[in-house]
Amino acid sequence: MFKLLIALSALVVISSAYGPAVRATKGEVWPKLQQEEKTSDYFIVRPFTFRFQGLADIGCPRLLDDAFTRYWLIIATEASLEHRGRRAEMGKKRTKFWQLDESFLGYLKRLKVEVSDKCTDDALPDFGDNENYTLTVNASVSTLSAQTIWGALRGLETFSQLIYLEQDALVINATTITDFPRFSFRGLHLDTSRHFLPVNIILQTLDGMAYNKFNVFHWHLTDDQSFPYKSRVYPELSEKGAYHPVSKVFEPSDIAKVIEYARVRGIRVIPEFDTPGHTSSWGASHPELLTTCYSNNQPNGNLGPMDPSKDTTYDFINNLFTEVVGVFPDSYFHIGGDEVDFSCWQSNPDITTFMSDNNISSYEGLENYFIQHVVDLLDKLNSKYLVWEEVFVNGVTLPNTTLVHVWRGEGFDTLRDVTKAGKYGVFSSCWYLDHLSSGSDWQKFYECEPLNFDGTDEQKKLVLGGEACMWTESVNEYNVMPRVWPRACATAEKLWSAESVNDFGAARPRLEEHVCRLNLRGIAAQPPNGPGVCL
Amino acid sequence: MFKLLIALSALVVISSAYGPAVRATKGEVWPKPQQEEKTSDYFIVRDYTFRFQGPADIGCPSLLDDAFTRYWSLIAATSASLERRVRRGKKHTKLWHLDESLLGNLKSLKVEVSDECTDDALPDFGDNENYTLTVNADGATLSAQTIWGALRGLETFSQLIYQEQDALVINATTITDFPRFSFRGLHLDTSRHFLPVNIILQTLDGMAYNKFNVFHWHLTDDQSFPYKSRVYPELSEKGAYHPVSKVFEPSDIAKVIEYARVRGIRVIPEFDTPGHTSSWGASHPELLTTCYSNNQPNGNLGPMDPSKDTTYDFINNLFTEVVGVFPDSYFHIGGDEVDFTCWQSNPDITTFMSDNNISSYEGLENYFIQHVVDLLDKLNSKYLVWEEVFVNGVTLPNTTLVHVWRGEGFDTLRDVTKAGKYGVFSSCWYLDHLSSGSDWQKFYECEPLNFDGTDEQKKLVLGGEACMWTESVNEYNVMPRVWPRACATAEKLWSAESVNDFGAARPRLEEHACRMNMRGIAAQPPNGPGFCL
């Protein structure tokens, strides 16, 4: 009695036979590795005798030890039938199937982790970090090598995914891996303004990101609907502009927690404070920042985008952004600049006078005047920035360090133009997670190739990566996790794995396994492929 | 930077202004009561002094007391959560005693049930669920003919209470309420994905909060057979996704039935036959038809084999058990989407059909269903069938409920009721059909009686069901996928036909989704940007 939608039947073939629609793989890694050789020979991993081993003289012992603890726990938990919801099977006899098996190579005792670059415990992941690693599982003491601590973290994630449960034992096949990301900027965007999301949900999201080798958390902190960021210099912004001044705000301690939790996982946190549009909530405490809209030559009671004609607007932004640049240690800041509605500016006589006084002949020109001030301010603060594509399209002067975030339409023409102008591009057009169709609908995200535009090799190198975007108009703390996962996994693989990894059918069994892995690790991922089971 | 889909923008107008897209109401009831008069006078409800008061001589004291405990806990939790989440030690601002609309502290709700009842009563087909609820200067009284009506009234009472600053408030209100349709169901598929019992219990909570009264449990299907049978334990031993951890034990099923019963919710099991039965074949391949290619068995199995007596013997034994396990007077026997190609390929089936003068595969399906129907008649169980069984012309008694699901469904409903059969409607309430946004408008703007037919025909439409097929749903997303989208169905089935204005419903659903969140139901946002405090 299942009524297939046409849209669904095009996406997912529902098997009518007994069992799951797609059988999960065992010990396959998501996102897929650049180079991997695996044999059928295997080691057994016994969590209570297995250990990680770092270099004695490493400069960042805590970063590495914390990662060891996280991954040891993941491995130990993976072995727990109770944790898998299979308590009823506990206490049955162990079979030790491997003892007479000639493919059995022995017990894996240690993974040695080598990091060749110097590192410090307060190291920050940054733009252009080397994340390469090699992993060789071939002896009871095996080796993971990376140039940087960030590469070592990616390799540990891979190592943990190679391990799988066979009957009642953890198994890892003899494997040789050389791996590196295709794109250096692999982001997940989360909007905490349309719905407030508790910090714990954000931390869980960071866990999910680490399990998919994402390295940028783009935090869309403010928008029209609410202003949950608690500012030190302007506390009234959240006091009046948040959905609730106490329970729906991010305290400085919350933000510090998110930044640190992300950092030790090799994830950057890039805050966005969108201006001059998407700022209604700023007006709850500071209406003077916003443009007064007119009807019939009278103020009509509405407020529009920020008022670009007043110096006080820029003073305010200066003070706030100086604080924000201090709070968020990343070298980049997302300054928004999208979807500015010109009708309010058009209606306001002071704006008209201002434009004529300053020889500004178009509203795009006025927007540019505004953005140019913000950009100059950030230059002064030594912060680099991302902007939504409108800022580039409208012709604001941008330094070559700027990342232009492409989101409208198919996006390929814009990416072409951005890179032709010598600017970096970050791509999101095909990865809007709020766009739903029946089924689990990740195929559309998976079959999107960001470099699918006309351009030279030089241009394509300027595309640094992309972001899956979770706008939260229809998402709250109760559905955000299954809405994001595993759909964002499709983006993760497009951004990490080789361009040739683009076969949806081949990816399905691996994602089936990966979703069960995410579930086991506490991520509330929804089913990827139709009927199925995680054991 | 929010990119509106055309489909979305047609459904929901996203406000670009500060604050939530839709402001929630306060103390409005979902689904909307039939008649309600409310004044601005109000009582304060203080959970630790408020109590429910039942009749001393009631025949079902446990049923009523359990309900009192549940609703008292909900009210107390609302108040506690207010302390925990919002107040954080802020000063009380409102001087209640200076407000002349204040009627005082509400000390109790008196509950009267006029019919006799017993503590083991089962909700059933055609139960009276009417109630009246009065909150005025003299106090508060809830009157119902049956215990089931009293349960509906308690739900309404709990929803009338809302938070005002640091207090719980209830306005003086007079309500006369009754359901428009007697059959208000939620269907849940536990075969495509197994769902733990706790999720089912939470679903029953959500149903009670929306005055649903039928839980249609789609237990088995092609993919898995999670029902643990006493007579044929091998069915789940081999046919479940896992023989131990992905099955419903008899104790699980008993728990679901009892949890539902005390909330006035019937549990109707479905064992779909003769199609959707691949999982039965994991342990009993002989039940299924052997498919042929080029006159040779091709290794595939099709629907149940209607030509063998042993098939019916097996069904007889299993269904005899199932009818004993599920106390409801109805059983859903499926009968949908039978694929005829395997039957066509099998030479034994061809021979059987010619021996029995069966000239079409519809006729063969009818032969099968007729056996199942006769068996249930013998077991004194009534049944629902998916519409194909009716459309294909199986002889059905007038107690049968025909479950309409295909296409728009209105023509089928017309035909079903014209033939004097009862109809249950689901065509427009398939919760697996997604579009961007929260997409409940399409469910809300569906009127089940929107077909050509006489008044007599329309009376034969007993209600409907929201259907949650779980191909793309597991324990992690089932709650926000169902709630609040199924609330739309709940209101269409309970409230008056005239309650059909989506715009008017939005602020009430905004409140109701927050209410469900507060009560532990993981409902997703109904209306775009917003928040719950």
Side-chain angles (χ1 to χ4, degrees):
Chain A
M1 192 60 30
F2 174 61
K3 187 156 60 167
L4 276 176
L5 280 184
I6 292 164
L8 172 60
S9 55
L11 289 175
V12 180
V13 179
I14 300 292
S15 162
S16 68
Y18 163 62
V22 173
R23 297 261 165 201
T25 52
K26 287 188 170 186
E28 292 295 318
V29 178
W30 190 282
K32 195 169 175 66
L33 307 167
Q34 299 280 352
Q35 295 166 30
E36 178 183 27
E37 284 173 41
K38 192 183 263 194
T39 77
S40 58
D41 294 340
Y42 62 87
F43 294 88
I44 295 287
V45 182
R46 296 185 300 188
F48 286 92
T49 58
F50 170 80
R51 67 188 182 89
F52 292 103
Q53 183 186 356
L55 299 175
D57 60 348
I58 192 164
C60 52
R62 288 201 37 205
L63 267 182
L64 197 60
D65 279 349
D66 284 359
F68 288 168
T69 304
R70 288 199 305 277
Y71 283 104
W72 187 86
L73 276 172
I74 281 172
I75 292 166
T77 305
E78 201 132 15
S80 160
L81 285 179
E82 182 171 20
H83 189 73
R84 288 170 179 263
R86 294 166 64 179
R87 182 201 291 261
E89 297 161 58
M90 291 170 66
K92 292 202 175 170
K93 270 198 182 170
R94 293 182 164 257
T95 52
K96 295 200 175 176
F97 59 87
W98 57 88
Q99 283 182 327
L100 296 174
D101 186 348
E102 48 183 50
S103 295
F104 173 56
L105 296 174
Y107 298 103
L108 189 69
K109 295 201 176 71
R110 268 180 289 159
L111 181 71
K112 270 171 67 180
V113 179
E114 302 167 346
V115 176
S116 59
D117 276 5
K118 289 192 178 173
C119 65
T120 60
D121 270 334
D122 58 358
L124 279 173
D126 201 359
F127 184 64
D129 282 331
N130 180 315
E131 295 173 285
N132 306 357
Y133 65 93
T134 60
L135 173 61
T136 310
V137 179
N138 61 355
S140 65
V141 178
S142 288
T143 308
L144 166 65
S145 301
Q147 187 184 324
T148 68
I149 180 70
W150 317 118
L153 293 179
R154 305 296 169 244
L156 286 169
E157 178 58 38
T158 294
F159 174 74
S160 74
Q161 295 192 15
L162 290 171
I163 297 171
Y164 58 96
L165 191 71
E166 191 68 57
Q167 300 190 29
D168 55 359
L170 293 180
V171 166
I172 185 168
N173 289 73
T175 309
T176 305
I177 289 167
T178 302
D179 199 20
F180 50 87
R182 181 178 173 210
F183 291 104
S184 64
F185 190 107
R186 303 179 309 279
L188 182 73
H189 155 288
L190 190 63
D191 166 5
T192 58
S193 171
R194 270 60 175 259
H195 278 91
F196 179 81
L197 295 172
V199 167
N200 284 343
I201 291 280
I202 297 177
L203 301 185
Q204 262 200 326
T205 300
L206 292 167
D207 281 335
M209 289 175 67
Y211 304 152
N212 288 279
K213 299 192 172 74
F214 278 109
N215 65 357
V216 174
F217 176 58
H218 171 178
W219 193 349
H220 186 86
L221 267 160
T222 67
D223 210 295
D224 284 323
Q225 286 79 5
S226 77
F227 195 105
Y229 173 81
K230 190 163 177 181
S231 163
R232 288 186 181 90
V233 291
Y234 296 118
E236 63 275 19
L237 281 166
S238 62
E239 184 69 30
K240 295 197 174 160
Y243 280 139
H244 188 277
V246 178
S247 58
K248 306 292 181 191
V249 298
F250 297 108
E251 301 277 347
S253 61
D254 295 328
I255 290 166
K257 196 187 289 179
V258 168
I259 292 168
E260 178 63 7
Y261 199 90
R263 182 185 75 86
V264 301
R265 285 161 180 76
I267 298 170
R268 302 160 55 192
V269 178
I270 298 181
E272 178 182 355
F273 284 75
D274 199 350
T275 59
H278 291 280
T279 47
S280 300
S281 64
W282 304 48
S285 58
H286 286 276
E288 78 284 0
L289 293 172
L290 307 183
T291 307
T292 301
C293 311
Y294 282 66
S295 303
N296 303 319
N297 300 317
Q298 296 290 327
N300 66 11
N302 292 333
L303 297 173
M306 288 196 163
D307 189 333
S309 70
K310 295 185 194 157
D311 287 343
T312 50
T313 304
Y314 303 108
D315 294 341
F316 188 96
I317 292 176
N318 188 4
N319 293 338
L320 180 66
F321 284 12
T322 301
E323 170 188 325
V324 171
V325 166
V327 167
F328 290 89
D330 200 80
S331 56
Y332 275 78
F333 186 118
H334 201 306
I335 59 172
D338 59 308
E339 296 185 316
V340 181
D341 173 19
F342 295 148
S343 60
C344 184
W345 282 349
Q346 283 165 349
S347 77
N348 183 306
D350 297 338
I351 300 269
T352 308
T353 307
F354 175 82
M355 286 171 71
S356 93
D357 288 352
N358 289 271
N359 287 321
I360 298 171
S361 56
S362 72
Y363 292 96
E364 287 82 4
L366 184 60
E367 182 182 350
N368 290 356
Y369 177 92
F370 176 91
I371 297 277
Q372 197 66 57
H373 273 72
V374 176
V375 155
D376 291 346
L377 159 64
L378 285 170
D379 286 342
K380 210 179 60 190
L381 293 170
N382 270 324
S383 179
K384 290 166 275 187
Y385 30 88
L386 288 86
V387 292
W388 294 110
E389 63 174 72
E390 287 95 321
V391 173
F392 167 81
V393 172
N394 291 346
V396 175
T397 307
L398 296 167
N400 281 347
T401 54
T402 305
L403 275 53
V404 179
H405 197 163
V406 174
W407 69 279
R408 291 186 298 189
E410 295 227 310
F412 296 117
D413 290 351
T414 313
L415 263 189
R416 181 199 58 204
D417 297 345
V418 166
T419 54
K420 201 166 188 177
K423 305 287 182 233
Y424 290 124
V426 169
F427 193 58
S428 282
S429 292
C430 59
W431 293 315
Y432 263 48
L433 301 174
D434 54 318
H435 292 186
L436 290 186
S437 35
S438 297
S440 294
D441 75 339
W442 58 279
Q443 184 172 15
K444 62 187 178 190
F445 301 133
Y446 196 75
E447 293 182 343
C448 171
E449 167 51 49
L451 300 191
N452 187 24
F453 63 89
D454 281 334
T456 62
D457 287 355
E458 290 310 303
Q459 275 178 265
K460 301 210 169 178
K461 279 184 198 150
L462 291 173
V463 179
L464 298 180
E467 285 186 7
C469 291
M470 184 74 267
W471 300 101
T472 57
E473 280 83 354
S474 299
V475 165
N476 62 11
E477 60 193 278
Y478 301 106
N479 66 342
V480 62
M481 297 303 290
R483 186 63 49 90
V484 172
W485 311 108
R487 298 161 82 235
C489 300
T491 308
E493 181 146 303
K494 294 313 295 177
L495 292 173
W496 179 279
S497 306
E499 183 174 353
S500 59
V501 178
N502 57 12
D503 180 343
F504 173 67
R508 296 179 80 198
R510 286 192 301 109
L511 192 57
E512 190 77 14
E513 177 181 17
H514 191 52
V515 164
C516 289
R517 180 187 289 138
L518 293 176
N519 288 166
L520 200 53
R521 296 179 180 191
I523 305 295
Q526 68 179 15
N529 294 316
V533 64
C534 296
L535 291 174
Chain B
M1 192 59 32
F2 173 61
K3 186 158 57 169
L4 275 178
L5 280 184
I6 292 165
L8 173 61
S9 55
L11 290 173
V12 180
V13 179
I14 299 293
S15 161
S16 70
Y18 165 61
V22 173
R23 297 262 165 200
T25 51
K26 288 187 169 187
E28 292 295 319
V29 178
W30 192 282
K32 197 171 175 59
Q34 299 279 350
Q35 296 165 28
E36 179 179 20
E37 284 172 39
K38 194 182 262 192
T39 79
S40 57
D41 293 341
Y42 62 88
F43 286 98
I44 300 278
V45 182
R46 294 194 303 182
D47 47 330
Y48 285 92
T49 58
F50 172 81
R51 67 189 183 90
F52 293 102
Q53 183 185 354
D57 59 348
I58 193 163
C60 52
S62 292
L63 266 183
L64 196 60
D65 280 349
D66 284 359
F68 287 168
T69 304
R70 287 199 305 278
Y71 283 103
W72 187 86
S73 299
L74 287 178
I75 293 166
T78 307
S79 152
S81 141
L82 180 159
E83 288 298 322
R84 192 173 60 248
R85 290 165 59 168
V86 184
R87 297 301 309 167
R88 298 215 186 153
K90 284 212 169 181
K91 268 198 184 167
H92 295 195
T93 47
K94 182 146 183 170
L95 302 171
W96 300 104
H97 61 279
L98 294 181
D99 186 345
E100 53 184 39
S101 296
L102 176 66
L103 296 172
N105 289 332
L106 189 68
K107 297 203 173 62
S108 66
L109 176 71
K110 212 177 134 188
V111 179
E112 302 164 347
V113 176
S114 58
D115 276 6
E116 293 194 355
C117 64
T118 59
D119 269 334
D120 57 359
L122 278 173
D124 201 0
F125 186 61
D127 282 332
N128 181 313
E129 295 173 286
N130 306 358
Y131 67 91
T132 60
L133 174 62
T134 312
V135 180
N136 62 25
D138 300 332
T141 307
L142 168 65
S143 302
Q145 187 184 323
T146 68
I147 179 70
W148 317 119
L151 294 179
R152 304 298 167 241
L154 286 169
E155 178 59 39
T156 294
F157 175 76
S158 74
Q159 295 191 13
L160 288 172
I161 297 171
Y162 59 96
Q163 160 198 338
E164 190 64 59
Q165 302 201 21
D166 56 345
L168 295 181
V169 163
I170 185 168
N171 288 74
T173 309
T174 305
I175 288 173
T176 303
D177 201 14
F178 49 88
R180 181 177 174 212
F181 291 104
S182 63
F183 190 107
R184 305 181 306 282
L186 182 73
H187 155 288
L188 191 63
D189 166 6
T190 58
S191 171
R192 272 60 176 259
H193 280 92
F194 179 82
L195 295 172
V197 167
N198 284 343
I199 291 282
I200 297 177
L201 301 184
Q202 262 201 326
T203 301
L204 292 167
D205 282 335
M207 290 174 66
Y209 304 152
N210 288 277
K211 299 191 172 76
F212 278 109
N213 66 357
V214 175
F215 176 59
H216 171 178
W217 194 349
H218 186 86
L219 267 161
T220 66
D221 211 296
D222 284 324
Q223 286 78 7
S224 78
F225 195 105
Y227 173 80
K228 190 163 175 180
S229 163
R230 290 185 179 92
V231 290
Y232 296 119
E234 63 274 21
L235 280 167
S236 62
E237 183 70 31
K238 294 195 174 163
Y241 278 137
H242 189 278
V244 179
S245 57
K246 304 295 178 190
V247 297
F248 297 109
E249 301 277 348
S251 61
D252 294 327
I253 290 166
K255 196 187 289 179
V256 168
I257 292 168
E258 178 63 8
Y259 199 90
R261 182 185 75 85
V262 301
R263 284 161 179 75
I265 298 170
R266 301 160 57 192
V267 178
I268 297 181
E270 178 183 353
F271 285 75
D272 199 350
T273 61
H276 291 281
T277 47
S278 300
S279 64
W280 305 47
S283 57
H284 286 277
E286 78 283 0
L287 293 172
L288 306 183
T289 306
T290 301
C291 311
Y292 281 67
S293 302
N294 303 319
N295 300 318
Q296 296 291 329
N298 65 12
N300 292 333
L301 296 173
M304 288 197 163
D305 189 333
S307 71
K308 294 185 195 158
D309 287 345
T310 49
T311 304
Y312 303 109
D313 293 343
F314 187 95
I315 292 175
N316 188 6
N317 292 338
L318 180 67
F319 283 13
T320 301
E321 170 188 323
V322 171
V323 166
V325 167
F326 289 88
D328 201 77
S329 56
Y330 276 77
F331 186 118
H332 201 306
I333 58 171
D336 60 306
E337 296 185 316
V338 181
D339 174 20
F340 295 149
T341 55
C342 183
W343 283 349
Q344 284 165 347
S345 76
N346 182 306
D348 296 339
I349 300 270
T350 308
T351 306
F352 174 82
M353 287 172 71
S354 93
D355 288 353
N356 288 272
N357 287 322
I358 299 171
S359 57
S360 72
Y361 292 95
E362 286 82 4
L364 183 61
E365 183 182 349
N366 290 357
Y367 177 91
F368 175 92
I369 297 276
Q370 198 67 56
H371 272 72
V372 175
V373 154
D374 291 347
L375 159 64
L376 286 170
D377 286 341
K378 209 179 62 191
L379 293 170
N380 271 323
S381 179
K382 288 168 275 188
Y383 31 89
L384 286 87
V385 293
W386 294 110
E387 63 175 68
E388 288 97 320
V389 173
F390 167 80
V391 171
N392 291 346
V394 173
T395 307
L396 297 167
N398 281 348
T399 54
T400 305
L401 275 53
V402 179
H403 196 163
V404 175
W405 70 279
R406 292 187 297 188
E408 296 227 310
F410 296 117
D411 291 350
T412 313
L413 263 190
R414 180 197 59 205
D415 296 346
V416 164
T417 54
K418 200 164 188 177
K421 305 287 182 235
Y422 290 124
V424 169
F425 192 58
S426 283
S427 292
C428 59
W429 293 317
Y430 262 48
L431 301 174
D432 54 319
H433 292 186
L434 291 186
S435 34
S436 297
S438 294
D439 75 339
W440 58 279
Q441 183 172 15
K442 61 188 179 188
F443 302 132
Y444 196 75
E445 292 183 343
C446 171
E447 168 48 52
L449 299 192
N450 187 24
F451 64 88
D452 281 334
T454 63
D455 287 355
E456 290 309 303
Q457 275 178 265
K458 301 209 169 175
K459 280 183 197 152
L460 290 172
V461 178
L462 298 179
E465 286 185 6
C467 292
M468 184 73 268
W469 300 101
T470 57
E471 281 83 354
S472 300
V473 165
N474 61 12
E475 62 194 276
Y476 300 106
N477 65 343
V478 63
M479 297 304 289
R481 186 62 51 89
V482 171
W483 309 110
R485 299 161 83 235
C487 301
T489 308
E491 181 145 298
K492 293 313 294 175
L493 293 173
W494 178 279
S495 305
E497 183 175 353
S498 59
V499 179
N500 57 12
D501 181 342
F502 173 68
R506 295 180 77 198
R508 287 191 302 110
L509 193 56
E510 189 77 12
E511 177 181 19
H512 191 51
C514 287
R515 180 187 288 138
M516 286 195 285
N517 287 166
M518 186 103 76
R519 295 178 176 191
I521 305 295
Q524 69 179 15
N527 294 317
F531 62 95
C532 300
L533 289 178

